[in-house]
Amino acid sequence: MGFLQIIQILLFLALVGTAGYIAYGKFKEIYDNINMGKPEVIDTTLGFRIKNMLLIAFGQKKMFKLTFAALLHLVIYVSFCITQIELIEIFLDGLTGSHRLLYHTFDGPVFQTIYLIVINFIEFLSLLTFFVTIIFILRRTTFKIERFKKPELKGWPFRDALIILGFELTLITFIFMMNGGDSALHIQEHGHGYGFILSGALGNALSGLPTGLLAFIERVGWWGHLSMVLTFLVYLPYSKHLHVMLAFPNTFFTRPEPKGEIHNMPAIMNEVKSMIDPSFVVPATEGEVQFGAKDVYDLSWKNLLDAYTCTECGRCTAACPANQTGKKLSPRKIMMDTRDRMEEISKGKKEHGPDFADNKTLLGDYITAEELRACTTCNACVEECPVNISPLSIIVELRRNLIMEASDSPAEWNNIFANLENNQAPWQFSPEDRLKWTEELN
Amino acid sequence: MSDLVAEGKTPDVVFWVGCAGSFDQRAQRVTIAFTKILNQLNINFAVLGTEEACTGDPARRAGNEFVFQMLAQQNIATMNNYGVKKIVTTCPHCFNTLKNEYPALGGSYEVLHHATYLQQLINDGQLKVEGGAFKGKRITYHDSCYLGRANDIYEAPRAVIESLDADLIEINKCRTNGLCCGAGGAQMFKEDEPGDKRINVERTEQLIEVYPEVIAVACPFCNTMITDGVKGENKQDDIKVLDIAELIAQNNQY
């Protein structure tokens, strides 16, 4: 093994190690952030969980409510998955200092054929992905797609989307530099390429170049490909693109209830029970009881996992009746705010220690009463989400806090609460008149 | 209900009228239509009458869990006391709360929305849809969120409309894609937040795009919202907003 090879192996290990270390740190932080949330039992069978994960995350079932976007997304998704196969060889080569280890180790005709099919498939998909990525960039920058123009997407979220799309174009360029340069070298040495259709043609065109330059192109492609994959890994947890991973646990932990059901509050149920029936003893609860959610700590871990899973596609916001009619509410912003608040707390803890507290809260500093009050609880956002996020669940928890802790309620609602308490109907009618309609029956 | 029990009788089903159905003038028409159907078919039913309280849906959704719990526990005590087994209601909000949210509080019943109930009556031959008043009429259906997305009931109301031999026209935004009428989540009881448009206006515009003669609804709040929307468009003479129970009752001339 030559000196250069050893340097390459060391460089490879250093790169992978550093990227892995940084990524692990951030992923661990996100895991801890999600655990800031309250416990919530999601009572489902393993079969239900796997079914949802396979259909919705792996199979992208709900994406296909918008066929065109779903097809484009599918190309990138399949391409992303398949490219990982080529990555196996890149890793093996990196670890051993070899060149196309799999291709050279298993040289039987069957394996060679499989190898060729796989690489050709990757290359065709990569080329397709290149064009799809350009369409995605145009959708973000040029085409008039309303859900990409909303105020919450201005600034970092807009740049985040373009950065990732830029990564993809770069990654694909490196793949073709790697395989094209390598094919050209192979042609120079053996008079023919590996049998890669696209990069073979590229190799043919490049085969007149000096060998040293071709080797350089191939190496830049190889290291570039590896570096982009590692960059992606490190960047992922800072970005909306975390959905490529979290879509799986998030659909795995899909709630089983009908969408219309709002979960019970046992503390209040017991308190009211003891008011109605004095013999009922309220079970002891630990710690201070807070009604609804004021900050991310008061939400459940599933709400917080939802927030990190959100990829800001905005289908929820596009479907929201309040948003469609110009109200401030955007379900996507609810999810983004929840995530941003967690990140803020987590940053504060890193800088000032685990007891960090600021004077901010999710309710008020991020999400306003006006946004919350525009919600009709129609479940359109929940229905739309391709990865089973529920913005509604967070909205209801914040509303509960607004009404029961902050006593912040519109006057009209105070009226209905008073009516409901006094005459058991939202309107001011006497309960005695409940049967008045029967007079008209005959 | 109390009268029946005093006579030692048990009803097969309790008709949960709901606050809108009891007090709102428009919704009372639906209550009456549905009652006429039940009476015509000699169904052994009862209403809780003065003992019925709001299910608590608007309180819970506004965020006032205390008020919700008080109403819900009161209703559950009443119904458990009477041994209620089966409930039918003309309001999707009542339906959702009774069916999905009362069990956690100790109130488990078989709960049906009247769309499903009417579909069952038609299917088992008890309810014969005769008369043909709506034969060939252009009817479009507005999905109620609390029936559709909240509880996945999309076909039952359509089956009821189709039994009229009517021309059921679907709008673009129907079923899971249906737009809310704007009343859910206690919005019914307050002004819209500041914005460009009212939600019921937006929804009505989508519905009248297919030139319906009738917009069928299955919820008293949707009924109010869409009726207002149609009036706003000045189309109240051309387009009727009717509940599916009214369609059946009018068709059968009950």
Side-chain angles (χ1 to χ4, degrees):
Chain A
M1 191 175 283
F3 176 69
L4 204 63
Q5 244 175 333
I6 293 171
I7 294 286
Q8 284 201 19
I9 293 175
L10 289 177
L11 187 60
F12 172 83
L13 290 173
L15 257 180
V16 174
T18 313
Y21 179 75
I22 299 172
Y24 171 78
K26 186 64 188 172
F27 277 110
K28 173 77 172 52
E29 185 188 328
I30 288 175
Y31 180 78
D32 291 341
N33 287 350
I34 291 169
N35 279 318
M36 285 195 296
K38 284 185 176 170
E40 175 183 342
V41 179
I42 294 173
D43 188 12
T44 45
T45 60
L46 186 65
F48 179 84
R49 293 173 171 193
I50 290 175
K51 190 187 100 192
N52 277 311
M53 190 171 74
L54 286 181
L55 278 178
I56 295 161
F58 187 74
Q60 313 209 334
K61 186 180 162 200
K62 289 177 81 181
M63 282 294 290
F64 279 86
K65 278 196 106 174
L66 297 176
T67 319
F68 182 61
L71 285 174
L72 295 180
H73 182 266
L74 185 70
V75 169
I76 295 200
Y77 168 71
V78 173
S79 179
F80 177 84
C81 295
I82 298 287
T83 309
Q84 309 310 316
I85 299 177
E86 195 172 19
L87 207 60
I88 297 171
E89 192 172 41
I90 289 188
F91 263 77
L92 292 173
D93 285 348
L95 280 172
T96 57
S98 53
H99 177 68
R100 292 203 187 267
L101 183 74
L102 295 178
Y103 180 80
H104 290 108
T105 310
F106 306 99
D107 52 1
V110 177
F111 182 83
Q112 297 268 319
T113 312
I114 295 171
Y115 187 88
L116 279 182
I117 290 172
V118 169
I119 301 286
N120 275 316
F121 190 51
I122 290 171
E123 287 194 350
F124 273 104
L125 264 175
S126 297
L127 187 68
L128 196 56
T129 301
F130 194 86
F131 294 119
V132 166
T133 307
I134 289 170
I135 297 175
F136 271 150
I137 292 173
L138 290 173
R139 278 166 67 89
R140 294 267 167 183
T141 55
T142 316
F143 299 165
K144 281 208 174 69
I145 298 170
E146 251 184 72
R147 64 189 160 104
F148 296 144
K149 306 281 174 211
K150 297 282 173 182
E152 68 266 19
L153 275 204
K154 299 255 177 341
W156 166 247
F158 175 71
R159 287 200 299 279
D160 181 21
L162 290 185
I163 287 170
I164 281 281
L165 292 170
F167 281 177
E168 275 163 25
L169 293 183
T170 318
L171 181 71
I172 295 165
T173 309
F174 282 136
I175 291 178
F176 281 106
M177 279 175 75
M178 176 178 82
N179 286 352
D182 199 16
S183 291
L185 288 169
H186 203 269
I187 290 166
Q188 284 188 351
E189 203 177 323
H190 303 280
H192 60 87
Y194 289 100
F196 308 155
I197 298 165
L198 290 174
S199 64
L202 190 64
N204 249 332
L206 296 177
S207 60
L209 293 176
T211 310
L213 181 61
L214 287 175
F216 179 74
I217 292 174
E218 191 276 337
R219 281 293 89 188
V220 169
W222 191 89
W223 285 101
H225 185 166
L226 177 72
S227 306
M228 284 316 299
V229 169
L230 296 176
T231 308
F232 203 85
L233 180 71
V234 171
Y235 185 76
L236 214 60
Y238 292 92
S239 154
K240 74 188 191 92
H241 282 80
L242 195 52
H243 78 283
V244 300
M245 291 176 170
L246 294 190
F248 292 88
N250 205 54
T251 48
F252 187 80
F253 291 114
T254 295
R255 294 190 180 98
E257 307 89 21
K259 289 192 198 71
E261 181 179 339
I262 289 179
H263 80 83
N264 194 27
M265 296 181 77
I268 298 180
M269 177 178 77
N270 289 333
E271 204 176 314
V272 171
K273 220 178 235 179
S274 74
M275 281 158 54
I276 296 174
D277 172 13
S279 68
F280 178 79
V281 183
V282 179
T285 42
E286 280 174 45
E288 207 182 323
V289 178
Q290 151 110 319
F291 298 135
K294 191 174 173 63
D295 210 344
V296 288
Y297 303 103
D298 313 319
L299 293 167
S300 96
W301 64 269
K302 179 62 169 73
N303 294 140
L304 303 184
L305 176 61
D306 274 357
Y308 271 120
T309 306
C310 175
T311 193
E312 302 167 9
C313 73
R315 293 180 182 212
C316 52
T317 294
C320 173
N323 195 278
Q324 280 179 33
T325 52
K327 278 88 178 176
K328 259 195 188 155
L329 174 64
S330 164
R332 167 173 57 191
K333 180 177 169 291
I334 303 287
M335 303 319 297
M336 293 168 73
D337 285 343
T338 305
R339 181 199 60 207
D340 292 349
R341 174 61 184 153
M342 277 190 282
E343 287 286 302
E344 184 181 51
I345 291 174
S346 159
K347 190 164 165 255
K349 280 182 178 168
K350 267 193 287 186
E351 286 168 9
H352 306 283
D355 297 329
F356 166 79
D358 52 14
N359 290 324
K360 290 189 187 170
T361 50
L362 179 64
L363 176 60
D365 292 299
Y366 283 80
I367 301 170
T368 60
E370 182 180 333
E371 291 165 68
L372 297 170
R373 281 189 197 130
C375 176
T376 68
T377 69
C378 75
N379 267 303
C381 55
V382 183
E383 179 75 42
E384 282 307 304
C385 182
V387 290
N388 282 6
I389 291 169
S390 173
L392 178 58
S393 168
I394 296 179
I395 292 172
V396 168
E397 290 308 319
L398 295 175
R399 271 189 178 187
R400 282 174 164 173
N401 193 277
L402 208 55
I403 299 288
M404 293 187 286
E405 295 279 348
S407 300
D408 182 355
S409 168
E412 301 124 299
W413 276 2
N414 282 333
N415 282 339
I416 66 157
F417 298 150
N419 287 332
L420 287 169
E421 280 187 65
N422 297 330
N423 40 282
Q424 292 86 49
W427 299 288
Q428 222 174 3
F429 290 106
S430 162
E432 296 310 312
D433 292 341
R434 270 202 186 257
L435 282 173
K436 262 202 158 163
W437 59 270
T438 54
E439 292 166 10
E440 274 189 69
L441 206 52
N442 299 310
Chain B
M1 184 82 188
S2 56
D3 298 344
L4 272 185
V5 172
E7 290 168 29
K9 293 177 187 160
T10 5
D12 297 332
V13 59
V14 166
F15 170 27
W16 185 277
V17 182
C19 301
S22 303
F23 299 120
D24 180 88
Q25 284 191 343
R26 179 68 192 84
Q28 281 176 344
R29 312 306 315 161
V30 179
T31 307
I32 290 165
F34 186 62
T35 309
K36 282 181 177 169
I37 297 170
L38 297 178
N39 282 338
Q40 282 286 334
L41 302 181
N42 288 322
I43 284 163
N44 175 20
F45 77 101
V47 296
L48 291 175
T50 56
E51 288 181 283
E52 185 187 291
C54 170
T55 59
D57 158 88
R60 178 169 253 193
R61 275 146 192 83
N64 198 330
E65 185 74 4
F66 280 99
V67 171
F68 167 77
Q69 290 285 346
M70 285 194 291
L71 295 164
Q73 292 188 27
Q74 182 186 333
N75 282 324
I76 290 168
T78 306
M79 289 195 286
N80 286 357
N81 186 33
Y82 285 131
V84 170
K85 298 271 186 303
K86 186 174 176 180
I87 306 169
V88 61
T89 176
T90 46
C91 173
H93 295 263
C94 298
F95 164 71
N96 177 68
T97 305
L98 293 166
K99 177 173 181 283
N100 297 323
E101 295 177 357
Y102 276 23
L105 278 63
S108 295
Y109 320 101
E110 184 193 352
V111 188
L112 296 174
H113 181 260
H114 74 314
T116 311
Y117 192 71
L118 288 173
Q119 185 195 24
Q120 286 177 3
L121 290 175
I122 293 168
N123 283 351
D124 66 21
Q126 274 198 73
L127 175 56
K128 293 195 173 49
V129 184
E130 291 158 330
F134 294 97
K135 191 169 191 269
K137 286 241 158 113
R138 293 173 68 85
I139 301 182
T140 191
Y141 173 68
H142 161 74
D143 282 282
S144 154
C145 307
Y146 273 82
L147 205 55
R149 279 186 295 266
N151 288 292
D152 286 322
I153 297 176
Y154 299 106
E155 300 312 323
R158 290 180 167 80
V160 173
I161 296 166
E162 274 166 356
S163 76
L164 299 163
D165 224 353
D167 187 7
L168 176 62
I169 308 154
E170 295 290 357
I171 64 164
N172 201 9
K173 296 273 176 199
C174 66
R175 289 193 169 86
T176 58
N177 298 325
L179 186 75
C180 174
C181 71
Q187 299 292 340
M188 179 74 194
F189 307 103
K190 74 180 206 12
E191 280 301 310
D192 279 23
E193 297 303 311
D196 313 327
K197 205 180 198 178
R198 283 172 181 276
I199 296 171
N200 67 322
V201 173
E202 175 76 19
R203 183 53 172 173
T204 306
E205 285 172 4
Q206 295 176 357
L207 287 159
I208 62 178
E209 242 173 44
V210 294
Y211 302 104
E213 291 164 88
V214 175
I215 297 172
V217 293
C219 168
F221 300 111
C222 296
N223 197 329
T224 303
M225 287 305 210
I226 306 301
T227 303
D228 284 355
V230 170
K231 275 186 198 149
E233 300 280 335
N234 232 340
K235 294 239 159 55
Q236 65 271 32
D237 295 333
D238 310 325
I239 304 172
K240 287 198 187 97
V241 181
L242 293 172
D243 189 275
I244 52 169
E246 293 178 301
L247 290 175
I248 295 290
Q250 286 186 17
N251 184 74
N252 283 16
Q253 296 181 336
Y254 290 157

